[in-house]
Amino acid sequence: MGKKKVRVAIIGIGNCASSLVQGVHYYKDTPDDSIVPGLMHINLGGYHISDIEFTFGIDVNITKVDKDLAEAIYAEPNNTYKFATVPHMDIPVVRGMTHDGLGKYLKEVITTAPGPTANIAKLLKETKTDVVLNFLPVGSEMATKWYVEQALEAGCAFVNGIPVFIASQKYWADRFIEKGLPILGDDIKSQVGATILHRVLTTLFVDRGVRLDHTYQLNFGGNTDFLNMLERERLESKKISKTGAVTSMLPYDIGADNVHVGPSDHVPWLSDRKWCYIRMEGTTFGEVPLNVEAKLEVWDSPNSAGVMIDAVRCAKIALDRGLSGPIVGPSSYFFKTPPKQFRDSVCKEMTEAFIVGEE
């Protein structure tokens, strides 16, 4: 009997999927005892990166549907950093359900593929998929819930990479518990991104006795994620997710008018790069003001891929152990809006305990 694998189906073959697939190929021969940039765990709970296998991709874009996954990850409008050339994988990208997946601005750059929606639940069963990974565009509320139903029907774990609230909501948590299936989410937290940096700085203020009075986090980039979020109605869940991730580190309420966190604009020439500006205004000893400003520049999608590599392996471990419902420790460490928020140091400890079976 061969070594067990982590079989993953991906919903949405955009930049995040591209970085993830490239990364699994790029790191597949990395020795377990290596220290390499971009990875928190080469071997996680007995699963090496090379144990991640993709079963099929799901998309609606005519440039990607019916293509091999290795071809689709580089197709327009994807524009992320290419750090690996992935050979033909013999893994199809099938036509998914559109629902509310395409907003006003994405419809201007994406042509939907003809033909009917594939039978996703049937495909998940036939391919023996373990984990369904959601990388739909922000604001895809109905589409995400439709795919969750497919995963539940097929008996798969679900990893929710976007700010549609599933793992953090009791209704969906109960549905996964009833089916005996695990879920991780919601909204992937990048390796060193705007959210984790802002959280760490906020925790620093609290720990050192500085009162945080006002703060903002402004983000802009050139990928389709930022283009999509020009539609303010689709941005609401993202703002809630990012704001809550930061303010949950405070033991007091600074008031809604004193905190602004969220994407602000789309700059096409930045491609998949994201620029983040953070300002924090506080009060210290003797009522004296203290201000901090920071700028962060990242390639947005590779910044999340190393975290997602760990998230899907934790989902598989949860399946192996027969766990069901939200997996709290890894969700708190890997996602902006988990079922329960903790300080990041506690999140890390809980995740490491989960990996070795001491949760």
Side-chain angles (χ1 to χ4, degrees):
M1 184 177 176
K3 190 176 188 299
K4 288 197 300 182
K5 301 293 184 178
V6 185
R7 294 180 60 75
V8 180
I10 308 176
I11 310 165
I13 312 303
N15 282 325
C16 289
S18 177
S19 294
L20 177 65
V21 174
Q22 288 186 64
V24 170
H25 175 73
Y26 187 77
Y27 289 112
K28 62 184 173 62
D29 297 321
T30 305
D32 286 1
D33 59 354
S34 299
I35 298 176
V36 294
L39 292 173
M40 294 181 285
H41 302 90
I42 295 167
N43 187 305
L44 188 149
Y47 288 105
H48 189 274
I49 294 166
S50 60
D51 293 324
I52 297 174
E53 294 181 342
F54 300 105
T55 55
F56 61 99
I58 305 167
D59 210 284
V60 299
N61 194 337
I62 197 170
T63 65
K64 299 170 184 177
V65 174
D66 294 331
K67 302 292 195 302
D68 187 76
L69 183 61
E71 180 183 355
I73 60 173
Y74 304 117
E76 293 184 348
N78 290 8
N79 58 4
T80 193
Y81 197 100
K82 183 178 179 180
F83 58 88
T85 300
V86 180
H88 186 85
M89 304 173 77
D90 198 26
I91 297 170
V93 176
V94 304
R95 175 65 156 87
M97 173 67 78
T98 307
H99 255 315
D100 56 355
L102 295 182
K104 171 184 175 182
Y105 294 101
L106 287 187
K107 287 177 180 176
E108 296 176 359
V109 297
I110 291 175
T111 301
T112 54
T117 301
N119 189 330
I120 302 301
K122 182 170 181 283
L123 280 172
L124 292 172
K125 294 175 184 176
E126 289 177 347
T127 57
K128 295 180 170 59
T129 295
D130 298 307
V131 180
V132 177
L133 169 55
N134 183 26
F135 273 147
L136 284 171
V138 169
S140 304
E141 184 90 18
M142 297 307 297
T144 293
K145 291 175 180 177
W146 186 85
Y147 281 112
V148 170
E149 295 288 1
Q150 310 311 301
L152 287 168
E153 181 182 338
C156 301
F158 198 84
V159 176
N160 184 32
I162 75 166
V164 170
F165 304 127
I166 305 294
S168 55
Q169 297 300 304
K170 185 179 185 303
Y171 170 80
W172 292 106
D174 289 345
R175 292 287 306 280
F176 277 86
I177 291 170
E178 289 167 10
K179 290 284 189 176
L181 297 168
I183 179 169
L184 277 73
D186 299 305
D187 195 11
I188 192 71
K189 189 192 297 177
S190 292
Q191 194 163 27
V192 178
T195 297
I196 190 70
L197 178 60
H198 206 165
R199 280 169 63 99
V200 168
L201 289 171
T202 301
T203 300
L204 179 66
F205 270 47
V206 172
D207 286 350
R208 305 300 293 181
V210 178
R211 187 185 71 216
L212 182 63
D213 300 316
H214 311 96
T215 187
Y216 67 63
Q217 179 197 128
L218 305 178
N219 304 279
F220 54 88
N223 57 31
T224 51
D225 194 31
F226 282 94
L227 177 63
N228 174 52
M229 288 187 291
L230 289 177
E231 193 173 348
R232 307 306 290 184
E233 293 80 5
R234 298 180 71 88
L235 180 57
E236 182 179 356
S237 63
K238 188 70 172 179
K239 284 180 64 63
I240 292 170
S241 181
K242 289 177 71 67
T243 301
V246 173
T247 57
S248 64
M249 297 298 97
L250 292 169
Y252 47 84
D253 182 5
I254 66 171
D257 290 344
N258 295 317
V259 55
H260 177 91
V261 181
S264 55
D265 214 339
H266 175 245
V267 182
W269 62 264
L270 287 178
S271 61
D272 191 39
R273 288 179 293 168
K274 178 171 82 173
W275 290 6
C276 162
Y277 290 89
I278 295 172
R279 179 173 175 86
M280 304 177 72
E281 298 183 350
T283 301
T284 185
F285 193 80
E287 299 292 318
V288 177
L290 180 151
N291 300 323
V292 173
E293 289 195 349
K295 180 189 178 187
L296 175 70
E297 298 181 20
V298 299
W299 280 85
D300 204 18
S301 301
N303 200 23
S304 71
V307 178
M308 191 55 83
I309 278 175
D310 282 6
V312 297
R313 288 185 289 176
C314 283
K316 181 59 166 68
I317 289 172
L319 271 177
D320 293 344
R321 295 178 187 164
L323 302 177
S324 63
I327 307 304
V328 175
S331 289
S332 71
Y333 193 41
F334 300 141
F335 297 90
K336 297 185 184 78
T337 306
K340 189 173 181 181
Q341 294 277 12
F342 304 92
R343 286 190 170 213
D344 293 289
S345 58
V346 175
C347 298
K348 184 176 189 297
E349 290 172 4
M350 293 173 66
T351 301
E352 296 300 332
F354 170 84
I355 290 168
V356 299
E358 295 177 355
E359 73 283 359

